[in-house]
PDB file of all heavy atoms in Angstrom:
ATOM      1  N   THR A  20      22.506  17.739   6.247  1.00 98.00           N
ATOM      2  CA  THR A  20      21.985  16.380   6.422  1.00 98.00           C
ATOM      3  C   THR A  20      21.406  15.811   5.129  1.00 98.00           C
ATOM      4  O   THR A  20      21.130  14.616   5.034  1.00 98.00           O
ATOM      5  CB  THR A  20      20.909  16.384   7.534  1.00 98.00           C
ATOM      6  OG1 THR A  20      21.435  17.057   8.683  1.00 98.00           O
ATOM      7  CG2 THR A  20      20.507  14.992   7.962  1.00 98.00           C
ATOM      8  N   ALA A  26      19.954   9.570   0.325  1.00 98.00           N
ATOM      9  CA  ALA A  26      20.386   8.180   0.153  1.00 98.00           C
ATOM     10  C   ALA A  26      19.251   7.207   0.474  1.00 98.00           C
ATOM     11  O   ALA A  26      19.050   6.211  -0.229  1.00 98.00           O
ATOM     12  CB  ALA A  26      21.604   7.899   1.020  1.00 98.00           C
ATOM     13  N   LEU A  28      16.024   7.888   0.269  1.00 98.00           N
ATOM     14  CA  LEU A  28      15.025   8.019  -0.794  1.00 98.00           C
ATOM     15  C   LEU A  28      15.484   7.299  -2.057  1.00 98.00           C
ATOM     16  O   LEU A  28      14.672   6.672  -2.751  1.00 98.00           O
ATOM     17  CB  LEU A  28      14.759   9.501  -1.088  1.00 98.00           C
ATOM     18  CG  LEU A  28      14.039  10.255   0.023  1.00 98.00           C
ATOM     19  CD1 LEU A  28      14.085  11.753  -0.249  1.00 98.00           C
ATOM     20  CD2 LEU A  28      12.612   9.773   0.170  1.00 98.00           C
ATOM     21  N   THR A  57       9.676  24.504   4.406  1.00 98.00           N
ATOM     22  CA  THR A  57       8.797  24.333   5.566  1.00 98.00           C
ATOM     23  C   THR A  57       8.527  22.871   5.881  1.00 98.00           C
ATOM     24  O   THR A  57       7.879  22.567   6.876  1.00 98.00           O
ATOM     25  CB  THR A  57       7.452  25.045   5.340  1.00 98.00           C
ATOM     26  OG1 THR A  57       6.802  24.453   4.207  1.00 98.00           O
ATOM     27  CG2 THR A  57       7.653  26.534   5.114  1.00 98.00           C
ATOM     28  N   SER A  59       8.496  18.542   4.002  1.00 98.00           N
ATOM     29  CA  SER A  59       8.670  17.641   2.866  1.00 98.00           C
ATOM     30  C   SER A  59       7.467  16.720   2.730  1.00 98.00           C
ATOM     31  O   SER A  59       6.711  16.522   3.682  1.00 98.00           O
ATOM     32  CB  SER A  59       9.907  16.762   3.069  1.00 98.00           C
ATOM     33  OG  SER A  59      11.067  17.514   3.237  1.00 98.00           O
ATOM     34  N   LEU A  60       7.358  16.137   1.539  1.00 98.00           N
ATOM     35  CA  LEU A  60       6.338  15.127   1.263  1.00 98.00           C
ATOM     36  C   LEU A  60       7.005  13.940   0.590  1.00 98.00           C
ATOM     37  O   LEU A  60       7.766  14.115  -0.360  1.00 98.00           O
ATOM     38  CB  LEU A  60       5.242  15.685   0.352  1.00 98.00           C
ATOM     39  CG  LEU A  60       4.233  14.682  -0.201  1.00 98.00           C
ATOM     40  CD1 LEU A  60       3.391  14.079   0.920  1.00 98.00           C
ATOM     41  CD2 LEU A  60       3.347  15.344  -1.241  1.00 98.00           C
ATOM     42  N   PHE A  65       4.904   0.784   1.237  1.00 98.00           N
ATOM     43  CA  PHE A  65       5.391   0.028   2.383  1.00 98.00           C
ATOM     44  C   PHE A  65       4.439  -1.132   2.626  1.00 98.00           C
ATOM     45  O   PHE A  65       3.292  -1.106   2.169  1.00 98.00           O
ATOM     46  CB  PHE A  65       5.470   0.916   3.633  1.00 98.00           C
ATOM     47  CG  PHE A  65       6.495   2.011   3.523  1.00 98.00           C
ATOM     48  CD1 PHE A  65       6.150   3.264   3.048  1.00 98.00           C
ATOM     49  CD2 PHE A  65       7.812   1.775   3.883  1.00 98.00           C
ATOM     50  CE1 PHE A  65       7.099   4.275   2.933  1.00 98.00           C
ATOM     51  CE2 PHE A  65       8.765   2.778   3.774  1.00 98.00           C
ATOM     52  CZ  PHE A  65       8.415   4.030   3.300  1.00 98.00           C
ATOM     53  N   VAL A  81      14.926  13.662  11.020  1.00 98.00           N
ATOM     54  CA  VAL A  81      14.341  13.531  12.353  1.00 98.00           C
ATOM     55  C   VAL A  81      15.468  13.539  13.383  1.00 98.00           C
ATOM     56  O   VAL A  81      15.423  14.283  14.375  1.00 98.00           O
ATOM     57  CB  VAL A  81      13.495  12.243  12.476  1.00 98.00           C
ATOM     58  CG1 VAL A  81      13.070  11.996  13.919  1.00 98.00           C
ATOM     59  CG2 VAL A  81      12.265  12.319  11.569  1.00 98.00           C
ATOM     60  N   VAL A  91       2.250  10.263   9.161  1.00 98.00           N
ATOM     61  CA  VAL A  91       2.240   9.166   8.186  1.00 98.00           C
ATOM     62  C   VAL A  91       0.804   8.693   8.033  1.00 98.00           C
ATOM     63  O   VAL A  91       0.146   8.368   9.026  1.00 98.00           O
ATOM     64  CB  VAL A  91       3.147   8.013   8.644  1.00 98.00           C
ATOM     65  CG1 VAL A  91       3.146   6.885   7.624  1.00 98.00           C
ATOM     66  CG2 VAL A  91       4.581   8.512   8.899  1.00 98.00           C
ATOM     67  N   PHE A  94      -2.296   6.241   1.749  1.00 98.00           N
ATOM     68  CA  PHE A  94      -2.553   7.102   0.597  1.00 98.00           C
ATOM     69  C   PHE A  94      -3.062   6.247  -0.550  1.00 98.00           C
ATOM     70  O   PHE A  94      -2.477   5.212  -0.879  1.00 98.00           O
ATOM     71  CB  PHE A  94      -1.246   7.799   0.173  1.00 98.00           C
ATOM     72  CG  PHE A  94      -1.387   8.701  -1.021  1.00 98.00           C
ATOM     73  CD1 PHE A  94      -1.898   9.977  -0.876  1.00 98.00           C
ATOM     74  CD2 PHE A  94      -1.010   8.265  -2.271  1.00 98.00           C
ATOM     75  CE1 PHE A  94      -2.015  10.830  -1.981  1.00 98.00           C
ATOM     76  CE2 PHE A  94      -1.128   9.106  -3.389  1.00 98.00           C
ATOM     77  CZ  PHE A  94      -1.628  10.371  -3.229  1.00 98.00           C
TER      78      PHE A  94
END
Side-chain angles (χ1 to χ4, degrees):
T20 310
L28 291 168
T57 62
S59 302
L60 170 65
F65 294 92
V81 171
V91 181
F94 179 80

